[in-house]
Amino acid sequence: MNQEKKSLFSRVYENIVNKRERILSGKVNCIPWNLPRFEESSPGIEQGKYYQITAQSKAGKTQLTDWLFVFNTIKQIVDDNLDIRLKIFYFTLELSKEEKMLACFANILYIKEGLRIAPTDLKSTHAKKVLSSEILEIISKYQKYFDKIEEIVEFVDDIRHATGIYDLVRKYAVANGTIYYRDIIIKGEITKVEDRYEPNDPEEYVMVIIDHIGLISPQKLNGSQLSLHESISLLSSDYLIKLRNRFNYIPVVVIQQAIAGENIEHKKAGALRPSVANLGDNKLIARDCNMMIGIFSPFKHEIPEYLGYDIQKFKDNIRFVEIIISRDGGAGTICPLYFDGAVNYFKELPLPSDPKIKEVYEFMKNIKK
């Protein structure tokens, strides 16, 4: 389709003006994290940004991803009337769709009713812990949340290779916007290439969550079988960057830290926190993201005190979230969070010097384990 061509300067300048006017008119240019101190370094989730979440095994990287990009975001839309449209493609390579929805149930029951019921108990796994009819009624009461999750989130557990992931998301982009082309000359012949994309709804945030990237299936490309390392590079450095740069979409990738990063040498050196150097499967994709967020559990490594917090009182209910990489500044920012893995819940903790931390320690004495 033909349209009067705008210069790159004009497009970027108009975008700056538009974003300024949005704020002045009470709209948002990002989805807040709902972590006040953390937002001083990073205000929230932005369109056209690529996020990576990394941690050691069983440290809570999936839970953090779900909390920041799914539960917190949808809660703001339902409860706070956040004026955005949201579409999430969630490639759940580790858990089934049903398990992801159970996690949603557990989270809503906790944040809305204060009921701490893990997914295992929701399934009446234990003969002595059969779910009560009262809990079933409460779940039904919050059906609007689960309906909104189903409306927004497309859980995909049957596509596991890079090209399939890209093709599914690109198909959505083509159906919901227009790609404009320009002519270039290659070896004396005119060839059309993609120039820019205009979505039908510029207000829509489209996320592409992959949990976790090390579980994708190696694939063939141009007749050659790719290794896992090569397949990860294809997905991240080619396809996800295209989705970000061309369509203004938001890739969110979970990455496992290498097991070697948990060994005794790292512990002696005090180098247990997630890092680019300890990324598993493919370190090179760290170059692709706008922001990498690490999540660290001192309790897992038997550390009694960390950054002023008494880990022996928190045990496994504390995590430290760190901005490892940020193209927009804020790298090195660390945010301490209360964490309850059973119900996929996080909350920013007071600083260790804040008198309110005593209330938190008192709460920890009474929490049901």
Side-chain angles (χ1 to χ4, degrees), residues 289-315:
C289 70
N290 296 85
M291 178 180 288
M292 179 184 289
I293 299 173
I295 178 169
F296 178 59
S297 169
F299 179 75
K300 180 178 180 181
H301 300 285
E302 301 177 340
I303 299 173
E305 187 273 342
Y306 192 75
L307 298 183
Y309 291 90
D310 189 338
I311 304 304
Q312 293 176 315
K313 291 179 180 177
F314 280 103
K315 299 190 184 306

Side-chain angles (χ1 to χ4, degrees), residues 39-51:
E39 288 176 9
E40 294 175 7
S41 298
S42 171
I45 303 164
E46 299 181 63
Q47 291 176 313
K49 294 291 178 71
Y50 177 178
Y51 299 89

